[in-house]
Amino acid sequence: MADMLRRKLHGVMNVSADEYPVPQPVVGRGAVFVEHRLKTPQVSESAYIAPTAVLAGDVTVGPHSRVLFGAVITAEGGPVKVGRNCVVMEHAVIRGVPGQETRVGDDVLVGPHAHLTGCVIEGGSRVATGAMVFNGARIETGAEVEFNAVVYVNTVVPAGTAVPMGWFAGGQPAELVGPGDWDRIRAIMGPLDYSGTVFGVGASSLIPDIARRYARGLALHHRDHILPDQRHMLAQEDAH
């Protein structure tokens, strides 16, 4: 028996490293990756996804980007692409929707509690704490959306522009309006068609009808699967 154990130990000690399979890299260890609408998140091996962050559905996160604690990136019928060297900070929400591109370009900072839906944030931009960017909007290269500012539906914020703290931006190109000028804000909002852009209904639709329509669209979450760490998928450039 002792001789048999010595032979087994000798065999193990003389196994070369080349004989062991290379373990599959695990990205987003401890984070919640959700298979939604038969799509799973894909994340670059060099990215960091914090525990308690949630990625759901057709979401791609590029190299060296960071998604911090409590952030949610969810593809609700449309894909979400986050580029290189981006930081999505605590409790930010990025939501992909049908019919509108949702993309965060390279070198973008998204502050805590920011909310981005169905919009494009071009490279080198900053969306500060608590800011909201709505469906169909585009933040061009180098533009900034300051704390608690609102970029309304179908609005273009031109390159290099800063939407001031708490201000409203609406139109193409965006007109910037201070928070107290409600008459001007309402006048800009009207032609931009919030109800049609966000919910696909007319402006006269009742909230109960909109809520029921939205609830039906979200019913596919019943079929979601939470993926174990070992099934977190690498982005295409890392998978080969």
Side-chain angles (χ1 to χ4, degrees):
M1 180 66 70
D3 288 343
M4 184 181 297
L5 290 174
R6 278 195 295 272
R7 285 196 296 273
K8 286 184 177 179
L9 180 61
H10 181 267
V12 170
M13 295 297 291
N14 285 280
V15 171
S16 70
D18 293 337
E19 295 180 67
Y20 281 100
V22 177
Q24 179 73 18
V26 175
V27 293
R29 190 181 300 276
V32 179
F33 280 40
V34 181
E35 182 185 83
H36 177 57
R37 296 173 179 252
L38 303 179
K39 299 286 189 178
T40 58
Q42 297 187 27
V43 175
S44 173
E45 186 176 359
S46 63
Y48 171 73
I49 312 297
T52 74
V54 178
L55 274 58
D58 191 2
V59 171
T60 304
V61 178
H64 306 292
S65 287
R66 316 296 180 217
V67 180
L68 301 186
F69 298 89
V72 175
I73 306 177
T74 180
E76 300 290 352
V80 179
K81 295 183 179 180
V82 177
R84 305 172 64 93
N85 302 309
C86 294
V87 179
V88 180
M89 298 185 71
E90 293 85 353
H91 302 288
V93 175
I94 304 175
R95 184 184 304 274
V97 295
Q100 288 145 357
E101 183 182 10
T102 306
R103 176 170 54 86
V104 177
D106 298 339
D107 309 308
V108 171
L109 296 177
V110 178
H113 299 278
H115 194 150
L116 315 178
T117 301
C119 59
V120 173
I121 314 297
E122 294 184 354
S125 301
R126 181 175 70 97
V127 180
T129 301
M132 292 178 282
V133 183
F134 282 96
N135 304 55
R138 179 178 292 270
I139 310 300
E140 293 187 343
T141 302
E144 299 190 34
V145 183
E146 292 291 352
F147 307 102
N148 297 314
V150 173
V151 178
Y152 203 55
V153 298
N154 301 318
T155 290
V156 176
V157 177
T161 300
V163 182
M165 187 184 306
W167 280 43
F168 171 91
Q172 301 184 16
E175 179 178 340
L176 307 183
V177 184
D181 193 350
W182 293 111
D183 289 340
R184 185 58 192 151
I185 290 173
R186 290 190 188 97
I188 295 171
M189 289 171 61
L192 295 175
D193 188 23
Y194 178 90
S195 298
T197 301
V198 176
F199 299 114
V201 300
S204 61
S205 297
L206 300 176
I207 291 299
D209 294 335
I210 292 173
R212 284 191 291 268
R213 181 188 181 99
Y214 203 11
R216 285 195 299 270
L218 294 172
L220 286 175
H221 280 294
H222 283 301
R223 301 183 182 182
D224 287 356
H225 299 284
I226 296 177
L227 305 175
D229 286 357
Q230 290 71 23
R231 289 188 58 202
H232 292 183
M233 291 184 64
L234 291 174
Q236 292 295 325
E237 67 268 20
D238 294 328
H240 302 295

